[in-house]
Amino acid sequence: MKKLIIYLLLSIGFVVMIMPFAWMIVTSFKLPSEVQQWPPKWVSKNFFSTRQVKVETKIGALRTLKGISLSEALSFTSSKDDDQNVLNISVEDDPFYRGKMTLDITGYDYIEKASMDNFSKWIKSLKFPQQFSTESPEKFFEEVFLFYYSGNSPYFKRLNYISNLEAKINNAISGIELVSKFVERRVSDKSEQTRFKDFLNKAMENLITLKEDILKYKAGKSLVLTNDEINELYKLLDSINLVYGGKNELTNIYSTKVVNVISQEKDYIKFYLEVYRYFKQLQIKRVDKPIIAKVMTKNERIILLKENLKRLPESEILNNLIVSEDFDNLPEKFSKKIDSYFLNEYKIETSFLNNLKSLVVTYKNLLIERGVDYEQILKNGSFDDLIDISDKILSDSSSYKIFKAKVESISYELENYKSFLKELILLTDHLDLVRKVYNNSMNSWKIIDAPEFVKAVRVRNGEVIEIELNGIAPIYLSDDNLSTINLSFTFGEIIKNIFQNYVDAWKAAPFGQYYINTVFVATATTVLEVILASMAAYAFSWMNFPGKNALFGLFLATMMVPGEVLLVPNFITISKFGWIDTYYSLIIPWIVSVFAVFLMRQHFLSIPKELFDASKIDGCSHWRFLWQIVVPLSKPVIITGALLKFVGSWNSFLWVLIVTNSDKYRTLPVGLQNFSSDVGTLYNQLMAAATFSVLPVIILFLFTQKYFIKGIARTGLK
């Protein structure tokens, strides 16, 4: 019975000890949304062969450019990055990076292109509540839907809209109360007074009822009101009659304070409903099949990239990169080659070039906004031709005036500045093209089956799906409710999904450098401590000198001093030596351990004195006796001390954080802080990084545990 209780307690203790580590590993396999799930689960969608992902169709371009280098950023022309023929679908769920993707758009209504003549006739009958572009039906529909439904702050955003509508109704009610106070004073006709008062009371009751009805729409499944709800709200507003049929001294004030307030809101809703109704009437075709695409292999993407690069204008700099088959981070390498060309060709400084690149990008954006095809002008003419056109078109722009002033200033520093600026504009444009082609190619998925108007499918960072369309405007596919897509995975892809967090965590920071630093610092600290502690322990155990016991007691007393107290004096000392952000600061302060000296001394005292006497007779010195007899006999204790030191050095965080400023010298524990910020903590990646950080220590302990047990046992410590 006693044995059973002991085994039970040991089992419970084992489970309690292993649970945190097991939970850390399980969390490292989870998707971001699963980390916050309650109650927590021991499984993850990453282990499944299928997955459903929530998505939302977005109107307009989405910025998905990430990881751009400083060299690229200086020449990045944002105005030219938009692709006008792409349907953007935002992933409102955990990101995905592989698998077979099915977008079921079967039955969706669409049209290739709306008739401009019919559109122009129809638009004349509309009462515009505000200005929208009418240069094309597609542009008009996009602006209307962005304003009302799909923008950053859409007009029909549920809580905002209902709150604003409630405020307008309250204003109308206040207007009625105000007018009611002056009826008897201002309206001279008694019968008109009675009739107008009755009408105002009825209008007040209707508005109060209306407010109660519209407040029900504050609760809903979507952040933006649905079209059915918008229709219902319009009917509610249209159902109450606020227009007074008579005429008196207060009717104009009443109309301004009450009728116009509600009428304006009705106009906004009516305009949207009429536009949406016409928009749906135009779409006379239906999609006959879903879009099915599969992730490409790296080699397939490289082949696609090569084909797409062939379509770009000729460039000797780019051709050299293509010939070398060096496609990793191609835009950054191309950008650096362009910089090198200008530095060598025009004999200028890097800072001077960077300033001009920033200046030129601002100038290009101004030209793009005004619709100037500067690229064609420069190819057919000179930089002076472009300046002549700019002087006419951009004469009212203060940014252009600054550009002209700076161009005049560099003319004194650079003799052939005009040819320099011409080449800089054209090559930075070429870089934009290369970046776009590279990103599109490396994010492309292979189309397995799709409607004929689908030209390409891309997934950017697992967060945005791009459907490139051929001969059809994206706006005509954006109104249908695509809320989910389906993913399926092969066995190999499931394995990759499971370990995706480990890949992301490793790439999130220079963990390769952190590993090298940690191994080097932990090994150097351990080796030096073993050497010094062995010599100190031998002196305290086998050698006799005045004050030995008092000195040893003083050594032990230092163990009572908390390590935190030593941080400031140690940091000041390291600073005086100039060792901040060096390996010296990570190693030197920690190569002596009083505990290791005490541990080894206790074991050295257990070695028979006869061995020492015999070695003396043979002429053995203290140095030789220590390293050839005492140390080999004390291997378990030394390994125990070394293991404790290695683990302590491996896990050191606070000191490393204080004395290092760069990734060049930082270690793994400090690297883990990359996953925490003011915004929040990426627990799944943090747990993945923590797992591959502690794994070497666990493996080391498994191989040395027998020495660890022997070392503790032989010193008599429990």
Side-chain angles (χ1 to χ4, degrees):
M1 187 63 183
K2 288 182 180 179
K3 286 186 178 180
L4 181 62
I5 293 173
I6 291 172
Y7 288 141
L8 182 62
L9 291 174
L10 286 173
S11 300
I12 293 172
F14 174 77
V15 171
V16 171
M17 290 178 64
I18 203 69
M19 277 287 287
F21 185 68
W23 185 251
M24 179 178 75
I25 294 176
V26 170
T27 304
S28 72
F29 296 140
K30 289 186 174 184
L31 293 165
S33 65
E34 295 174 330
V35 175
Q36 305 295 341
Q37 269 185 350
W38 188 262
K41 296 179 181 178
W42 287 87
V43 294
S44 169
K45 293 178 186 176
N46 279 331
F47 291 92
F48 301 157
S49 59
T50 59
R51 181 177 153 202
Q52 203 169 60
V53 178
K54 296 177 184 177
V55 297
E56 183 181 351
T57 305
K58 297 289 186 180
I59 298 174
L62 295 179
R63 296 291 180 197
T64 56
L65 202 63
K66 289 187 178 180
I68 187 170
S69 67
L70 176 62
S71 178
E72 292 178 87
L74 288 170
S75 57
F76 177 59
T77 310
S78 58
S79 301
K80 298 192 72 173
D81 189 52
D82 298 341
D83 198 327
Q84 300 298 323
N85 211 37
V86 170
L87 176 66
N88 292 289
I89 301 170
S90 173
V91 176
E92 306 295 317
D93 207 330
D94 297 307
F96 62 92
Y97 305 98
R98 59 189 63 85
K100 186 169 75 172
M101 174 176 59
T102 303
L103 293 86
D104 191 5
I105 60 171
T106 308
Y108 283 19
D109 299 323
Y110 75 99
I111 187 175
E112 281 88 357
K113 194 172 180 64
S115 167
M116 188 64 192
D117 291 338
N118 293 337
F119 172 74
S120 299
K121 293 175 183 176
W122 170 78
I123 208 75
K124 292 176 181 177
S125 63
L126 280 182
K127 180 183 178 182
F128 280 59
Q130 69 172 56
Q131 188 63 38
F132 294 106
S133 172
T134 57
E135 64 180 72
S136 71
E138 291 74 27
K139 183 70 174 175
F140 171 76
F141 291 136
E142 182 176 323
E143 286 192 10
V144 170
F145 293 143
L146 276 172
F147 172 76
Y148 278 101
Y149 211 79
S150 303
N152 293 328
S153 183
Y155 187 78
F156 286 130
K157 191 173 183 180
R158 185 181 297 277
L159 291 178
N160 290 352
Y161 179 75
I162 299 301
S163 297
N164 292 336
L165 185 54
E166 181 188 9
K168 289 179 180 179
I169 294 173
N170 286 334
N171 289 338
I173 292 172
S174 299
I176 292 176
E177 291 173 347
L178 179 65
V179 172
S180 298
K181 292 178 182 178
F182 294 95
V183 172
E184 293 183 357
R185 297 186 211 171
R186 300 287 298 276
V187 179
S188 55
D189 190 331
K190 296 296 181 181
S191 61
E192 176 64 19
Q193 281 185 13
T194 304
R195 191 163 54 251
F196 192 45
K197 276 186 178 181
D198 291 340
F199 176 81
L200 291 177
N201 291 334
K202 185 65 176 176
M204 175 81 78
E205 291 174 7
N206 289 338
L207 286 173
I208 292 172
T209 303
L210 175 65
K211 185 169 75 168
E212 292 172 355
D213 289 337
I214 67 107
L215 288 176
K216 298 173 184 176
Y217 291 90
K218 269 195 174 181
K221 294 182 179 179
S222 58
L223 292 174
V224 181
L225 293 167
T226 64
N227 284 310
D228 290 338
E229 289 173 323
I230 295 167
N231 263 307
E232 291 169 7
L233 284 169
Y234 180 75
K235 289 177 182 178
L236 285 173
L237 291 172
D238 198 43
S239 64
I240 61 170
N241 181 23
L242 297 176
V243 179
Y244 181 61
K247 182 74 175 175
N248 58 54
E249 292 83 352
L250 294 175
T251 51
N252 288 337
I253 298 174
Y254 169 76
S255 296
T256 303
K257 295 285 186 181
V258 181
V259 178
N260 293 348
V261 172
I262 304 301
S263 296
Q264 185 184 35
E265 189 55 42
K266 284 173 61 179
D267 289 342
Y268 267 91
I269 301 178
K270 185 180 180 181
F271 175 79
Y272 169 77
L273 291 174
E274 289 183 359
V275 170
Y276 185 74
R277 195 177 298 116
Y278 179 73
F279 176 73
K280 294 300 289 184
Q281 288 174 357
L282 288 176
Q283 301 179 60
I284 57 176
K285 292 189 175 183
R286 286 204 167 182
V287 181
D288 58 352
K289 60 174 70 174
I291 300 173
I292 303 174
K294 186 172 177 30
V295 69
M296 286 185 175
T297 63
K298 186 176 181 179
N299 287 336
E300 288 173 331
R301 288 173 174 172
I302 293 296
I303 292 170
L304 178 62
L305 175 61
K306 289 180 180 178
E307 292 175 358
N308 291 335
L309 288 174
K310 290 177 182 176
R311 302 188 184 101
L312 296 183
E314 283 291 323
S315 168
E316 185 179 347
I317 300 173
L318 182 60
N319 289 340
N320 292 336
L321 288 173
I322 296 173
V323 170
S324 66
E325 298 282 326
D326 192 6
F327 294 108
D328 288 337
N329 298 318
L330 179 65
E332 182 180 354
K333 291 172 181 174
F334 185 45
S335 177
K336 290 180 177 178
K337 290 287 186 182
I338 291 173
D339 289 354
S340 299
Y341 166 76
F342 282 113
L343 295 176
N344 295 328
E345 182 72 17
Y346 292 94
K347 309 301 180 186
I348 57 176
E349 298 293 329
T350 303
S351 58
F352 182 75
L353 175 62
N354 289 340
N355 288 333
L356 286 180
K357 283 167 73 175
S358 177
L359 185 68
V360 162
V361 167
T362 303
Y363 175 50
K364 288 199 299 183
N365 285 334
L366 287 172
L367 293 172
I368 292 168
E369 287 173 7
R370 301 296 175 95
V372 179
D373 190 356
Y374 60 84
E375 189 174 2
Q376 198 63 35
I377 295 170
L378 288 176
K379 284 180 179 179
N380 297 330
S382 65
F383 183 72
D384 285 331
D385 296 331
L386 182 60
I387 290 295
D388 290 340
I389 294 173
S390 300
D391 286 339
K392 297 174 184 176
I393 297 176
L394 300 174
S395 58
D396 60 334
S397 171
S398 57
S399 298
Y400 176 66
K401 291 175 183 176
I402 294 171
F403 171 77
K404 280 289 294 288
K406 290 188 177 180
V407 167
E408 289 176 8
S409 67
I410 67 168
S411 64
Y412 299 107
E413 301 178 43
L414 198 62
E415 184 178 348
N416 48 351
Y417 73 96
K418 292 180 181 178
S419 61
F420 169 79
L421 289 172
K422 178 180 177 178
E423 279 196 285
L424 185 59
I425 291 172
L426 292 175
L427 279 174
T428 51
D429 255 22
H430 202 167
L431 175 59
D432 286 335
L433 284 174
V434 171
R435 184 189 298 109
K436 182 178 179 180
V437 167
Y438 178 82
N439 289 333
N440 286 349
S441 301
M442 301 313 288
N443 290 302
S444 288
W445 283 42
K446 186 191 299 181
I447 297 175
I448 298 174
D449 193 19
E452 59 183 10
F453 54 74
V454 175
K455 185 178 179 181
V457 176
R458 296 185 286 270
V459 179
R460 296 189 186 274
N461 307 309
E463 298 170 355
V464 175
I465 304 168
E466 293 182 351
I467 311 297
E468 189 174 345
L469 305 174
N470 187 17
I472 174 174
I475 190 68
Y476 295 121
L477 289 173
S478 63
D479 60 309
D480 291 291
N481 185 27
L482 181 65
S483 57
T484 58
I485 64 168
N486 295 312
L487 294 171
S488 60
F489 307 100
T490 63
F491 178 75
E493 288 171 338
I494 293 172
I495 299 300
K496 290 178 180 178
N497 286 341
I498 291 171
F499 290 99
Q500 183 65 45
N501 287 330
Y502 288 82
V503 176
D504 292 340
W506 186 267
K507 292 179 179 178
F511 274 98
Q513 183 65 45
Y514 293 161
Y515 250 108
I516 293 171
N517 293 341
T518 308
V519 171
F520 173 70
V521 170
T523 302
T525 306
T526 302
V527 171
L528 290 173
E529 185 200 78
V530 167
I531 294 172
L532 295 175
S534 298
M535 292 190 292
Y538 180 83
F540 283 124
S541 58
W542 288 97
M543 299 177 70
N544 293 315
F545 53 88
K548 181 176 75 171
N549 292 332
L551 186 59
F552 184 67
L554 185 62
F555 259 65
L556 293 180
T558 61
M559 294 178 66
M560 303 298 108
V561 180
E564 289 77 6
V565 175
L566 301 175
L567 287 176
V568 173
N570 280 347
F571 180 80
I572 293 172
T573 304
I574 292 298
S575 299
K576 294 294 184 182
F577 286 149
W579 287 354
I580 297 297
D581 210 27
T582 65
Y583 287 122
Y584 297 116
S585 61
L586 300 176
I587 297 171
I588 301 300
W590 310 110
I591 60 176
V592 175
S593 169
V594 177
F595 176 75
V597 174
F598 170 72
L599 188 70
M600 292 182 189
R601 175 185 177 273
Q602 295 303 103
H603 185 268
F604 289 177
L605 289 174
S606 67
I607 296 174
K609 194 173 184 302
E610 289 77 10
L611 285 175
F612 180 71
D613 295 335
S615 65
K616 278 294 183 184
I617 293 172
D618 291 338
C620 184
S621 64
H622 282 293
W623 185 258
R624 187 176 176 188
F625 179 67
L626 168 63
W627 296 113
Q628 291 189 354
I629 298 174
V630 175
V631 168
L633 289 174
S634 306
K635 185 162 64 173
V637 173
I638 292 174
I639 291 176
T640 299
L643 181 61
L644 292 173
K645 185 62 181 180
F646 188 87
V647 172
S649 181
W650 187 279
N651 294 329
S652 178
F653 171 76
L654 187 58
W655 178 253
V656 181
L657 182 65
I658 291 172
V659 299
T660 58
N661 300 323
S662 63
D663 290 330
K664 184 178 180 181
Y665 297 102
R666 285 185 168 168
T667 56
L668 285 169
V670 177
L672 296 181
Q673 71 171 344
N674 286 288
F675 304 102
S676 297
S677 65
D678 295 336
V679 179
T681 302
L682 299 172
Y683 286 105
N684 52 341
Q685 293 186 24
L686 175 61
M687 295 300 106
T691 300
F692 62 62
S693 295
V694 303
L695 204 57
V697 177
I698 294 172
I699 294 171
L700 180 66
F701 178 77
L702 291 176
F703 281 103
T704 59
Q705 60 177 324
K706 62 179 180 179
Y707 299 106
F708 184 80
I709 295 169
K710 286 180 183 178
I712 295 297
R714 290 190 182 185
T715 56
L717 298 177
K718 297 182 188 277

